[in-house]
Amino acid sequence: MDGIIFGFFALSTVLFLSMVYNFISIQRPGMYPPKNILKKRATILGSGGLITFLIGILLWFAVS
């Protein structure tokens, strides 16, 4: 069960880092994906990271 909880926390970390990368890409001039697509992508990645983080916390409290 600890491996599953670690997997949720690792996945949420990856999703949050991807969100940060997309926010940084918005600031760069001349990027191909339009800014509105990058904003949508960052929002989806951030919400997915939040959901997986909350699932990891709930599982962590359930096991403890």
Side-chain angles (χ1 to χ4, degrees):
M1 192 68 173
D2 289 335
I4 295 171
I5 295 170
F6 175 77
F8 275 111
F9 284 126
L11 180 62
S12 67
T13 303
V14 169
L15 289 171
F16 282 134
L17 289 176
S18 300
M19 179 191 68
V20 170
Y21 175 76
N22 279 299
F23 274 134
I24 291 172
S25 295
I26 292 171
Q27 304 300 323
R28 292 185 195 156
M31 290 297 294
Y32 165 65
K35 290 184 179 188
N36 59 351
I37 292 176
L38 289 175
K39 286 179 186 178
K40 286 180 187 177
R41 195 179 294 171
T43 304
I44 291 170
L45 289 169
S47 61
L50 180 65
I51 291 169
T52 55
F53 185 73
L54 290 176
I55 290 172
I57 288 176
L58 288 174
L59 288 175
W60 185 38
F61 283 135
V63 171
S64 296

